[in-house]
Amino acid sequence: MTKINAFREIERKLADSLAQLEATKKTERQRETREFASELKTLMKEYRMSAADVLSILNATPEAR
């Protein structure tokens, strides 16, 4: 195998590895997002709050709190 072919093979493997890493990160972010949404819904039920209530709290200015 020539040096250029070896370089191209390494380059291809690197690109494959980077694509796999990005897919793993995306999957992890999706899992974390689902967990957060589930925990938020549980808390909203526990405190009897709607999504609008939560948004109004998040959008409130510090003086209004």
Side-chain angles (χ1 to χ4, degrees):
M1 185 181 284
T2 64
K3 287 185 178 184
I4 191 73
N5 288 341
F7 176 78
R8 287 187 179 141
E9 179 66 18
I10 291 169
E11 205 173 37
R12 184 191 61 75
K13 287 180 181 179
L14 177 60
D16 290 345
S17 294
L18 288 172
Q20 186 177 14
L21 176 62
E22 285 304 312
T24 302
K25 284 181 183 178
K26 183 178 179 182
T27 302
E28 180 67 18
R29 280 192 298 264
Q30 288 173 340
R31 183 190 60 77
E32 289 172 351
T33 300
R34 283 192 307 273
E35 285 178 4
F36 176 79
S38 176
E39 290 174 20
L40 179 58
K41 286 178 185 178
T42 300
L43 286 169
M44 288 169 61
K45 285 180 186 177
E46 182 180 334
Y47 289 95
R48 294 184 183 112
M49 297 186 84
S50 68
D53 295 330
V54 173
L55 288 174
S56 68
I57 292 169
L58 292 174
N59 289 328
T61 60
E63 297 84 34
R65 290 184 192 166

